[in-house]
Amino acid sequence: MNNIDFDGTELCLIDSGIKSLQKVPLQSQIQVLNLHSNFIHRIENLGHLRNLKHLDLSANQISGIEGIENLSNLRTLNLSCNHLSDVRGLTGLR
């Protein structure tokens, strides 16, 4: 995780070799989270990000949508180029 770009409300960790969201420093004020092109298998550790508006988890290794049901302010979600076979797990989002 050597490419950290964090300005208080945006965190950009594109192509940073991240395998787990448990190791990402996620502060509650984050509004934009870009984790494009990593090695993430599971969506986890996001429940406290109540201010999150834009989430990019594209080009990872995610096979199921989970852990985002409490993100009530989420406006955009990019899960393209993952290993998803269905889109269940979006209940609770607008």
Coordinates of all heavy atoms in Angstrom, one line a residue:
M1 N 0.8 -1.2 0.0 CA 0.0 0.0 0.0 C 0.9 1.2 0.0 O 0.8 2.0 0.9 CB -0.9 0.0 1.2 CG -2.2 -0.5 1.0 SD -3.4 -0.2 2.3 CE -2.8 -1.3 3.5
N2 N 1.6 1.4 -1.0 CA 2.5 2.6 -1.1 C 2.0 3.7 -1.9 O 2.6 4.8 -1.9 CB 3.9 2.2 -1.6 CG 3.8 1.4 -2.9 OD1 2.7 1.2 -3.4 ND2 4.9 1.0 -3.4
N3 N 0.8 3.6 -2.5 CA 0.3 4.6 -3.4 C -0.9 5.3 -2.7 O -1.9 5.6 -3.3 CB -0.2 4.0 -4.7 CG 0.9 3.4 -5.5 OD1 2.0 3.9 -5.4 ND2 0.6 2.4 -6.3
I4 N -0.9 5.6 -1.4 CA -2.0 6.2 -0.7 C -2.2 7.6 -1.1 O -1.2 8.4 -1.0 CB -1.8 6.0 0.9 CG1 -1.8 4.6 1.2 CG2 -2.9 6.8 1.6 CD1 -1.7 4.3 2.7
D5 N -3.4 7.9 -1.5 CA -3.7 9.3 -1.9 C -5.0 9.6 -1.1 O -6.1 9.2 -1.4 CB -4.0 9.4 -3.4 CG -4.4 10.8 -3.8 OD1 -4.3 11.7 -3.0 OD2 -4.9 11.0 -4.9
F6 N -4.9 10.3 0.1 CA -6.0 10.6 1.0 C -6.0 12.0 1.3 O -5.1 12.6 1.8 CB -5.8 9.7 2.2 CG -6.9 9.8 3.2 CD1 -8.2 9.4 2.9 CD2 -6.7 10.4 4.5 CE1 -9.2 9.5 3.8 CE2 -7.7 10.5 5.4 CZ -9.0 10.1 5.0
D7 N -7.2 12.6 1.0 CA -7.3 14.1 1.3 C -8.4 14.3 2.4 O -8.8 15.5 2.6 CB -7.7 14.9 0.1 CG -9.1 14.7 -0.4 OD1 -9.9 13.9 0.2 OD2 -9.5 15.4 -1.4
G8 N -8.8 13.3 3.1 CA -9.8 13.5 4.2 C -11.1 12.9 3.8 O -11.8 12.2 4.6
T9 N -11.6 13.1 2.5 CA -12.8 12.5 2.1 C -12.7 11.5 0.9 O -13.6 10.8 0.6 CB -13.9 13.6 1.7 OG1 -13.3 14.3 0.6 CG2 -14.2 14.5 2.9
E10 N -11.5 11.5 0.4 CA -11.3 10.6 -0.8 C -10.0 9.7 -0.5 O -9.0 10.2 0.0 CB -11.0 11.3 -2.1 CG -12.2 12.1 -2.5 CD -12.1 12.8 -3.9 OE1 -11.2 12.2 -4.7 OE2 -12.7 13.8 -4.1
L11 N -10.2 8.4 -0.8 CA -9.0 7.5 -0.6 C -8.9 6.7 -1.9 O -9.8 6.0 -2.3 CB -9.3 6.5 0.6 CG -8.1 5.5 0.9 CD1 -6.8 6.2 1.1 CD2 -8.5 4.7 2.0
C12 N -7.7 6.8 -2.5 CA -7.5 6.2 -3.8 C -6.3 5.2 -3.6 O -5.2 5.7 -3.4 CB -7.2 7.3 -4.8 SG -6.9 6.6 -6.5
L13 N -6.6 3.9 -3.8 CA -5.5 2.9 -3.7 C -5.6 2.0 -4.9 O -5.7 0.8 -4.8 CB -5.7 2.1 -2.4 CG -5.5 2.9 -1.1 CD1 -6.0 2.1 0.1 CD2 -4.0 3.3 -0.9
I14 N -5.4 2.6 -6.1 CA -5.5 1.8 -7.3 C -4.2 1.0 -7.5 O -3.1 1.5 -7.2 CB -5.6 2.8 -8.5 CG1 -7.0 3.5 -8.4 CG2 -5.5 2.0 -9.8 CD1 -7.2 4.6 -9.4
D15 N -4.4 -0.3 -7.8 CA -3.2 -1.2 -8.1 C -2.2 -1.1 -7.0 O -1.0 -0.9 -7.3 CB -2.6 -0.8 -9.5 CG -1.7 -1.8 -10.0 OD1 -1.8 -3.0 -9.6 OD2 -0.9 -1.5 -10.9
S16 N -2.6 -1.3 -5.8 CA -1.8 -1.3 -4.6 C -1.5 -2.6 -4.0 O -0.9 -2.7 -2.9 CB -2.4 -0.3 -3.6 OG -2.5 1.0 -4.1
G17 N -1.9 -3.7 -4.6 CA -1.6 -5.0 -4.1 C -2.4 -5.4 -2.9 O -2.1 -6.4 -2.2
I18 N -3.5 -4.8 -2.7 CA -4.4 -5.0 -1.5 C -5.1 -6.4 -1.7 O -5.8 -6.6 -2.7 CB -5.4 -3.9 -1.3 CG1 -4.6 -2.6 -1.0 CG2 -6.4 -4.2 -0.2 CD1 -5.4 -1.4 -1.1
K19 N -5.1 -7.2 -0.7 CA -5.8 -8.5 -0.8 C -7.0 -8.5 0.2 O -7.9 -9.3 0.0 CB -4.8 -9.6 -0.4 CG -3.7 -9.8 -1.3 CD -2.7 -10.9 -0.9 CE -1.6 -11.0 -1.9 NZ -0.6 -11.9 -1.5
S20 N -7.0 -7.7 1.2 CA -8.1 -7.6 2.1 C -8.4 -6.2 2.5 O -7.5 -5.4 2.8 CB -7.7 -8.4 3.4 OG -8.6 -8.3 4.4
L21 N -9.7 -5.9 2.6 CA -10.1 -4.6 3.1 C -9.9 -4.4 4.6 O -9.9 -3.3 5.1 CB -11.6 -4.4 2.8 CG -11.9 -4.2 1.3 CD1 -13.4 -4.2 1.1 CD2 -11.3 -2.9 0.8
Q22 N -9.6 -5.5 5.3 CA -9.3 -5.4 6.7 C -8.0 -4.6 7.0 O -7.9 -4.0 8.0 CB -9.2 -6.8 7.3 CG -10.4 -7.6 7.3 CD -11.5 -7.1 8.3 OE1 -11.2 -6.3 9.2 NE2 -12.7 -7.5 8.1
K23 N -7.1 -4.5 6.0 CA -5.9 -3.9 6.2 C -5.8 -2.4 5.7 O -4.8 -1.8 5.7 CB -4.8 -4.7 5.6 CG -4.7 -6.1 6.2 CD -3.5 -6.8 5.6 CE -3.6 -8.2 6.2 NZ -2.5 -8.6 7.0
V24 N -7.0 -2.0 5.1 CA -7.0 -0.6 4.5 C -7.5 0.4 5.6 O -8.4 0.1 6.3 CB -8.0 -0.6 3.4 CG1 -8.1 0.8 2.8 CG2 -7.6 -1.6 2.3
P25 N -6.8 1.5 5.8 CA -7.1 2.5 6.8 C -8.4 3.3 6.4 O -8.3 4.3 5.7 CB -5.9 3.4 6.8 CG -5.3 3.3 5.4 CD -5.6 1.9 5.0
L26 N -9.5 2.8 6.8 CA -10.8 3.4 6.4 C -11.3 4.3 7.5 O -11.8 3.7 8.5 CB -11.8 2.3 6.0 CG -11.4 1.4 4.8 CD1 -12.3 0.3 4.6 CD2 -11.2 2.3 3.6
Q27 N -11.3 5.6 7.3 CA -11.9 6.5 8.3 C -13.3 6.9 7.9 O -13.6 6.9 6.7 CB -11.0 7.7 8.3 CG -9.6 7.4 8.8 CD -8.6 8.6 8.7 OE1 -9.0 9.7 8.5 NE2 -7.3 8.3 9.0
S28 N -14.1 7.1 8.9 CA -15.5 7.2 8.7 C -16.0 8.4 7.8 O -17.0 8.4 7.3 CB -16.2 7.3 10.1 OG -15.8 8.5 10.8
Q29 N -15.1 9.4 7.7 CA -15.5 10.6 6.8 C -15.3 10.3 5.3 O -15.7 11.2 4.5 CB -14.7 11.8 7.3 CG -13.3 11.9 6.9 CD -12.3 11.3 8.0 OE1 -12.7 10.5 8.8 NE2 -11.1 11.7 7.9
I30 N -14.8 9.2 5.0 CA -14.5 8.9 3.5 C -15.8 9.0 2.7 O -16.8 8.4 3.1 CB -13.8 7.5 3.4 CG1 -12.4 7.6 3.9 CG2 -13.8 7.1 1.9 CD1 -11.7 6.2 3.9
Q31 N -15.8 9.7 1.6 CA -16.9 9.8 0.7 C -16.6 9.1 -0.6 O -17.6 8.6 -1.3 CB -17.3 11.3 0.4 CG -17.8 12.0 1.6 CD -18.1 13.4 1.3 OE1 -18.2 13.8 0.2 NE2 -18.3 14.2 2.4
V32 N -15.4 9.0 -1.0 CA -15.0 8.4 -2.2 C -13.9 7.4 -1.9 O -12.9 7.7 -1.3 CB -14.5 9.4 -3.3 CG1 -14.0 8.7 -4.5 CG2 -15.5 10.4 -3.6
L33 N -14.1 6.1 -2.3 CA -13.1 5.1 -2.1 C -12.9 4.3 -3.4 O -13.8 3.7 -4.0 CB -13.7 4.1 -1.0 CG -12.8 2.9 -0.6 CD1 -11.4 3.4 -0.2 CD2 -13.4 2.1 0.4
N34 N -11.6 4.4 -3.9 CA -11.3 3.8 -5.1 C -10.2 2.7 -4.9 O -9.1 3.0 -4.6 CB -10.8 4.8 -6.1 CG -10.6 4.3 -7.5 OD1 -10.5 3.1 -7.7 ND2 -10.6 5.1 -8.5
L35 N -10.6 1.5 -5.0 CA -9.7 0.3 -4.8 C -9.6 -0.5 -6.1 O -9.5 -1.7 -6.1 CB -10.2 -0.5 -3.7 CG -10.2 0.2 -2.3 CD1 -11.0 -0.5 -1.3 CD2 -8.8 0.3 -1.8
H36 N -9.7 0.1 -7.2 CA -9.6 -0.5 -8.6 C -8.3 -1.3 -8.7 O -7.2 -0.9 -8.3 CB -9.7 0.6 -9.7 CG -9.4 0.1 -11.0 ND1 -10.3 -0.6 -11.8 CD2 -8.3 0.2 -11.8 CE1 -9.8 -0.9 -12.9 NE2 -8.5 -0.4 -13.0
S37 N -8.4 -2.4 -9.3 CA -7.3 -3.2 -9.7 C -6.4 -3.7 -8.6 O -5.2 -3.4 -8.5 CB -6.4 -2.5 -10.8 OG -5.5 -3.4 -11.4
N38 N -7.0 -4.4 -7.6 CA -6.3 -5.0 -6.5 C -6.6 -6.5 -6.5 O -6.9 -7.1 -7.6 CB -6.6 -4.3 -5.2 CG -5.9 -3.0 -5.0 OD1 -4.8 -3.0 -4.7 ND2 -6.7 -1.9 -5.2
F39 N -6.4 -7.2 -5.4 CA -6.6 -8.6 -5.3 C -7.7 -8.9 -4.2 O -7.6 -9.9 -3.6 CB -5.3 -9.3 -5.0 CG -4.3 -9.1 -6.0 CD1 -3.3 -8.1 -5.8 CD2 -4.2 -9.7 -7.2 CE1 -2.3 -7.8 -6.7 CE2 -3.3 -9.5 -8.2 CZ -2.3 -8.5 -7.9
I40 N -8.7 -8.1 -4.1 CA -9.7 -8.2 -3.0 C -10.7 -9.3 -3.4 O -11.2 -9.3 -4.5 CB -10.4 -6.8 -2.8 CG1 -9.4 -5.8 -2.4 CG2 -11.5 -7.0 -1.8 CD1 -9.9 -4.3 -2.5
H41 N -10.9 -10.2 -2.4 CA -11.8 -11.3 -2.6 C -13.2 -11.1 -2.0 O -14.2 -11.6 -2.5 CB -11.2 -12.6 -2.0 CG -10.1 -13.2 -2.8 ND1 -10.2 -14.0 -3.8 CD2 -8.8 -12.9 -2.6 CE1 -9.0 -14.3 -4.3 NE2 -8.1 -13.7 -3.6
R42 N -13.2 -10.3 -0.9 CA -14.5 -10.1 -0.2 C -14.7 -8.6 0.1 O -13.7 -7.9 0.4 CB -14.5 -10.8 1.2 CG -14.5 -12.3 1.1 CD -14.7 -12.9 2.5 NE -15.9 -12.4 3.0 CZ -16.2 -12.4 4.3 NH1 -15.3 -12.7 5.2 NH2 -17.3 -11.9 4.8
I43 N -16.0 -8.2 0.1 CA -16.3 -6.8 0.5 C -16.5 -6.9 2.0 O -17.5 -7.6 2.4 CB -17.6 -6.3 -0.3 CG1 -17.4 -6.4 -1.8 CG2 -17.9 -4.9 0.2 CD1 -18.6 -6.1 -2.6
E44 N -15.7 -6.2 2.7 CA -15.8 -6.3 4.2 C -15.2 -5.0 4.8 O -14.6 -4.2 4.1 CB -15.0 -7.5 4.7 CG -13.6 -7.5 4.3 CD -12.8 -8.8 4.6 OE1 -13.4 -9.6 5.3 OE2 -11.7 -8.9 4.2
N45 N -15.5 -4.8 6.1 CA -15.0 -3.6 6.8 C -15.4 -2.3 6.2 O -14.7 -1.3 6.3 CB -13.4 -3.7 6.8 CG -12.8 -2.8 7.8 OD1 -13.3 -2.6 8.9 ND2 -11.6 -2.3 7.5
L46 N -16.6 -2.2 5.7 CA -17.1 -1.0 5.1 C -18.3 -0.5 5.9 O -18.8 0.7 5.6 CB -17.5 -1.2 3.6 CG -16.4 -1.6 2.7 CD1 -17.0 -1.7 1.3 CD2 -15.2 -0.6 2.7
G47 N -18.9 -1.2 6.8 CA -20.2 -0.9 7.4 C -20.2 0.4 8.2 O -21.2 1.1 8.3
H48 N -19.0 0.9 8.6 CA -18.9 2.2 9.4 C -18.8 3.4 8.5 O -18.8 4.5 8.9 CB -17.8 2.1 10.4 CG -16.4 2.1 9.7 ND1 -16.0 1.0 9.0 CD2 -15.5 3.0 9.6 CE1 -14.8 1.2 8.5 NE2 -14.4 2.5 8.9
L49 N -18.7 3.2 7.2 CA -18.5 4.3 6.2 C -19.9 4.9 5.8 O -20.3 4.8 4.6 CB -17.7 3.8 5.0 CG -16.4 3.2 5.3 CD1 -15.7 2.8 4.0 CD2 -15.5 4.2 6.0
R50 N -20.6 5.5 6.8 CA -21.9 6.1 6.5 C -21.9 7.2 5.5 O -22.9 7.5 4.9 CB -22.5 6.5 7.8 CG -22.6 5.5 8.9 CD -23.8 4.6 8.7 NE -23.8 3.7 9.8 CZ -24.3 2.5 9.7 NH1 -24.7 2.0 8.6 NH2 -24.3 1.7 10.8
N51 N -20.8 7.9 5.3 CA -20.7 9.0 4.4 C -20.3 8.6 3.0 O -20.2 9.5 2.1 CB -19.7 10.1 4.9 CG -20.2 10.6 6.2 OD1 -21.4 11.0 6.4 ND2 -19.3 10.7 7.2
L52 N -20.0 7.3 2.8 CA -19.5 6.9 1.5 C -20.5 7.1 0.4 O -21.6 6.6 0.5 CB -19.1 5.4 1.6 CG -18.3 4.8 0.4 CD1 -16.9 5.6 0.3 CD2 -18.1 3.3 0.6
K53 N -20.1 7.8 -0.7 CA -21.0 8.0 -1.8 C -20.5 7.3 -3.1 O -21.4 6.9 -3.9 CB -21.0 9.5 -2.1 CG -21.6 10.4 -1.0 CD -21.6 11.8 -1.4 CE -22.2 12.6 -0.2 NZ -22.2 14.1 -0.5
H54 N -19.3 7.1 -3.2 CA -18.7 6.5 -4.5 C -17.7 5.4 -4.1 O -16.7 5.6 -3.4 CB -18.1 7.5 -5.4 CG -19.0 8.7 -5.7 ND1 -20.0 8.6 -6.6 CD2 -19.0 9.9 -5.2 CE1 -20.6 9.7 -6.6 NE2 -20.0 10.6 -5.8
L55 N -18.0 4.2 -4.5 CA -17.2 3.0 -4.2 C -16.8 2.3 -5.5 O -17.6 1.9 -6.3 CB -17.9 2.0 -3.3 CG -17.2 0.7 -2.9 CD1 -15.9 1.0 -2.2 CD2 -18.1 -0.1 -2.1
D56 N -15.5 2.2 -5.8 CA -15.0 1.5 -6.9 C -14.1 0.3 -6.5 O -13.1 0.5 -5.9 CB -14.1 2.5 -7.8 CG -13.7 1.9 -9.1 OD1 -13.8 0.6 -9.3 OD2 -13.4 2.6 -10.0
L57 N -14.7 -0.9 -6.7 CA -14.0 -2.1 -6.4 C -13.8 -2.9 -7.7 O -13.7 -4.1 -7.7 CB -14.8 -2.9 -5.4 CG -14.8 -2.4 -4.0 CD1 -15.9 -3.1 -3.2 CD2 -13.5 -2.5 -3.3
S58 N -13.8 -2.2 -8.8 CA -13.6 -2.9 -10.1 C -12.2 -3.5 -10.3 O -11.3 -3.2 -9.6 CB -13.8 -1.9 -11.3 OG -12.9 -0.8 -11.2
A59 N -12.2 -4.6 -11.1 CA -11.0 -5.3 -11.4 C -10.3 -5.9 -10.2 O -9.1 -5.7 -9.9 CB -10.0 -4.4 -12.2
N60 N -11.1 -6.6 -9.4 CA -10.6 -7.3 -8.2 C -11.0 -8.8 -8.4 O -11.2 -9.2 -9.6 CB -11.2 -6.7 -6.9 CG -10.4 -5.5 -6.5 OD1 -9.3 -5.7 -5.9 ND2 -10.9 -4.3 -6.7
Q61 N -11.1 -9.5 -7.3 CA -11.5 -10.9 -7.4 C -12.7 -11.3 -6.6 O -12.8 -12.3 -6.0 CB -10.3 -11.8 -7.0 CG -9.1 -11.5 -7.9 CD -7.8 -12.2 -7.4 OE1 -7.8 -12.9 -6.4 NE2 -6.8 -12.0 -8.2
I62 N -13.6 -10.3 -6.5 CA -14.8 -10.5 -5.7 C -15.8 -11.4 -6.4 O -16.1 -11.2 -7.6 CB -15.5 -9.1 -5.5 CG1 -14.5 -8.2 -4.7 CG2 -16.8 -9.2 -4.8 CD1 -14.8 -6.7 -4.7
S63 N -16.4 -12.4 -5.6 CA -17.3 -13.3 -6.2 C -18.7 -13.2 -5.7 O -19.6 -13.8 -6.2 CB -16.8 -14.8 -6.0 OG -16.7 -15.0 -4.6
G64 N -18.9 -12.4 -4.6 CA -20.2 -12.2 -4.1 C -20.3 -10.8 -3.5 O -19.4 -10.2 -3.0
I65 N -21.6 -10.2 -3.6 CA -21.8 -8.9 -3.1 C -22.3 -9.0 -1.7 O -23.4 -9.6 -1.4 CB -22.8 -8.1 -4.0 CG1 -22.3 -8.0 -5.4 CG2 -23.1 -6.7 -3.4 CD1 -23.4 -7.5 -6.4
E66 N -21.6 -8.5 -0.7 CA -22.0 -8.5 0.7 C -21.3 -7.3 1.4 O -20.4 -6.7 0.9 CB -21.5 -9.8 1.3 CG -20.0 -10.0 1.2 CD -19.5 -11.4 1.7 OE1 -20.3 -12.1 2.2 OE2 -18.3 -11.7 1.4
G67 N -21.8 -7.0 2.5 CA -21.2 -6.0 3.4 C -21.4 -4.5 2.9 O -20.7 -3.6 3.4
I68 N -22.4 -4.3 2.0 CA -22.6 -2.9 1.6 C -24.0 -2.5 1.9 O -24.4 -1.3 1.6 CB -22.3 -2.7 0.1 CG1 -23.2 -3.6 -0.7 CG2 -20.8 -2.9 -0.2 CD1 -23.1 -3.3 -2.2
E69 N -24.8 -3.3 2.6 CA -26.2 -3.0 2.8 C -26.4 -1.8 3.7 O -27.5 -1.2 3.7 CB -27.0 -4.3 3.4 CG -26.4 -4.8 4.6 CD -25.2 -5.8 4.4 OE1 -24.9 -6.2 3.3 OE2 -24.5 -6.1 5.4
N70 N -25.5 -1.4 4.5 CA -25.6 -0.3 5.4 C -25.1 1.0 4.9 O -25.1 2.0 5.5 CB -24.9 -0.6 6.8 CG -25.6 -1.7 7.5 OD1 -26.8 -1.8 7.5 ND2 -24.8 -2.4 8.2
L71 N -24.6 1.0 3.6 CA -24.1 2.2 3.0 C -25.2 3.0 2.4 O -25.3 3.1 1.2 CB -23.0 1.8 2.0 CG -21.9 1.0 2.5 CD1 -20.9 0.6 1.4 CD2 -21.1 1.7 3.6
S72 N -26.0 3.7 3.2 CA -27.2 4.3 2.8 C -27.0 5.6 1.9 O -27.9 6.0 1.2 CB -28.1 4.7 4.0 OG -27.4 5.5 4.8
N73 N -25.8 6.1 1.9 CA -25.5 7.3 1.1 C -24.8 7.0 -0.2 O -24.5 7.9 -1.0 CB -24.6 8.3 1.9 CG -25.4 9.0 2.9 OD1 -26.5 9.5 2.7 ND2 -24.9 9.1 4.1
L74 N -24.6 5.7 -0.5 CA -23.9 5.2 -1.7 C -24.7 5.6 -2.9 O -25.9 5.3 -3.0 CB -23.7 3.7 -1.6 CG -22.6 3.2 -2.5 CD1 -21.2 3.7 -2.2 CD2 -22.6 1.7 -2.5
R75 N -24.0 6.3 -3.9 CA -24.6 6.7 -5.1 C -24.1 6.0 -6.3 O -24.8 5.7 -7.2 CB -24.4 8.2 -5.3 CG -25.0 9.1 -4.3 CD -26.5 9.0 -4.3 NE -27.1 9.8 -3.3 CZ -27.7 9.3 -2.2 NH1 -27.7 8.0 -2.0 NH2 -28.2 10.0 -1.2
T76 N -22.8 5.6 -6.3 CA -22.2 4.8 -7.4 C -21.4 3.7 -6.8 O -20.7 3.8 -5.8 CB -21.3 5.7 -8.3 OG1 -20.2 6.2 -7.5 CG2 -22.1 6.8 -8.9
L77 N -21.6 2.5 -7.5 CA -20.9 1.3 -7.1 C -20.4 0.7 -8.3 O -21.1 0.3 -9.2 CB -21.8 0.4 -6.3 CG -21.3 -1.0 -6.0 CD1 -20.2 -1.0 -5.1 CD2 -22.5 -1.9 -5.4
N78 N -19.1 0.5 -8.4 CA -18.5 -0.1 -9.6 C -17.8 -1.5 -9.2 O -16.9 -1.5 -8.4 CB -17.4 0.8 -10.2 CG -16.9 0.3 -11.5 OD1 -17.2 -0.9 -11.9 ND2 -16.1 1.1 -12.2
L79 N -18.5 -2.5 -9.7 CA -18.0 -3.9 -9.4 C -17.6 -4.6 -10.7 O -17.5 -5.8 -10.7 CB -19.0 -4.7 -8.6 CG -19.3 -4.2 -7.2 CD1 -20.5 -4.9 -6.6 CD2 -18.1 -4.5 -6.3
S80 N -17.4 -3.9 -11.8 CA -17.1 -4.5 -13.1 C -15.7 -5.2 -13.0 O -14.9 -5.0 -12.1 CB -17.0 -3.4 -14.1 OG -16.0 -2.5 -13.9
C81 N -15.6 -6.2 -13.8 CA -14.4 -7.0 -14.0 C -14.0 -7.7 -12.7 O -12.9 -7.7 -12.2 CB -13.2 -6.1 -14.4 SG -13.5 -5.4 -16.0
N82 N -15.0 -8.3 -12.1 CA -14.8 -9.2 -10.9 C -15.3 -10.6 -11.3 O -15.6 -10.9 -12.5 CB -15.6 -8.6 -9.7 CG -14.8 -7.6 -8.9 OD1 -13.8 -7.9 -8.2 ND2 -15.1 -6.3 -9.1
H83 N -15.5 -11.4 -10.3 CA -16.0 -12.8 -10.6 C -17.4 -13.0 -10.1 O -17.8 -14.0 -9.5 CB -15.1 -13.8 -9.8 CG -13.6 -13.7 -10.2 ND1 -13.1 -14.1 -11.4 CD2 -12.6 -13.2 -9.5 CE1 -11.8 -13.9 -11.5 NE2 -11.5 -13.4 -10.3
L84 N -18.3 -12.0 -10.4 CA -19.7 -12.1 -10.0 C -20.5 -12.8 -11.0 O -20.4 -12.6 -12.2 CB -20.2 -10.6 -9.8 CG -19.5 -9.8 -8.8 CD1 -20.0 -8.3 -8.9 CD2 -19.9 -10.3 -7.4
S85 N -21.4 -13.7 -10.5 CA -22.3 -14.5 -11.3 C -23.7 -14.0 -11.1 O -24.6 -14.4 -11.9 CB -22.1 -16.0 -11.1 OG -22.4 -16.3 -9.7
D86 N -24.0 -13.3 -10.1 CA -25.3 -12.7 -9.8 C -25.2 -11.4 -9.1 O -24.1 -11.1 -8.6 CB -26.3 -13.7 -9.1 CG -25.8 -14.1 -7.8 OD1 -25.5 -13.2 -6.9 OD2 -25.7 -15.3 -7.5
V87 N -26.3 -10.7 -8.9 CA -26.2 -9.4 -8.3 C -27.0 -9.3 -7.0 O -27.5 -8.3 -6.6 CB -26.6 -8.2 -9.2 CG1 -25.6 -8.0 -10.3 CG2 -28.0 -8.5 -9.8
R88 N -27.1 -10.4 -6.3 CA -27.8 -10.4 -5.0 C -26.9 -9.7 -4.0 O -25.7 -9.7 -4.1 CB -28.0 -11.8 -4.5 CG -29.2 -12.5 -5.2 CD -29.5 -13.8 -4.7 NE -28.5 -14.7 -5.4 CZ -28.3 -16.0 -5.1 NH1 -28.9 -16.5 -4.1 NH2 -27.5 -16.7 -5.7
G89 N -27.5 -9.1 -3.0 CA -26.7 -8.4 -1.9 C -26.8 -6.9 -2.0 O -26.1 -6.2 -1.3
L90 N -27.7 -6.4 -2.9 CA -27.8 -5.0 -3.0 C -29.1 -4.5 -2.3 O -29.4 -3.3 -2.3 CB -27.9 -4.6 -4.5 CG -26.7 -5.0 -5.3 CD1 -26.9 -4.7 -6.8 CD2 -25.5 -4.2 -4.8
T91 N -29.7 -5.3 -1.5 CA -30.9 -4.9 -0.7 C -30.5 -3.9 0.3 O -29.5 -3.9 0.9 CB -31.5 -6.2 0.0 OG1 -31.6 -7.2 -0.9 CG2 -32.8 -5.8 0.6
G92 N -31.3 -2.9 0.4 CA -31.1 -1.8 1.3 C -30.4 -0.6 0.7 O -30.4 0.5 1.3
L93 N -29.9 -0.7 -0.5 CA -29.4 0.4 -1.2 C -30.4 1.1 -2.1 O -31.4 0.4 -2.5 CB -28.2 0.0 -2.2 CG -27.0 -0.7 -1.5 CD1 -26.0 -1.1 -2.5 CD2 -26.4 0.3 -0.5
R94 N -30.3 2.4 -2.3 CA -31.2 3.1 -3.1 C -30.9 2.9 -4.6 O -29.8 2.8 -5.0 CB -31.2 4.6 -2.8 CG -31.6 4.9 -1.5 CD -31.7 6.4 -1.3 NE -31.3 6.7 0.0 CZ -31.2 8.0 0.4 NH1 -31.3 8.9 -0.4 NH2 -30.9 8.2 1.7

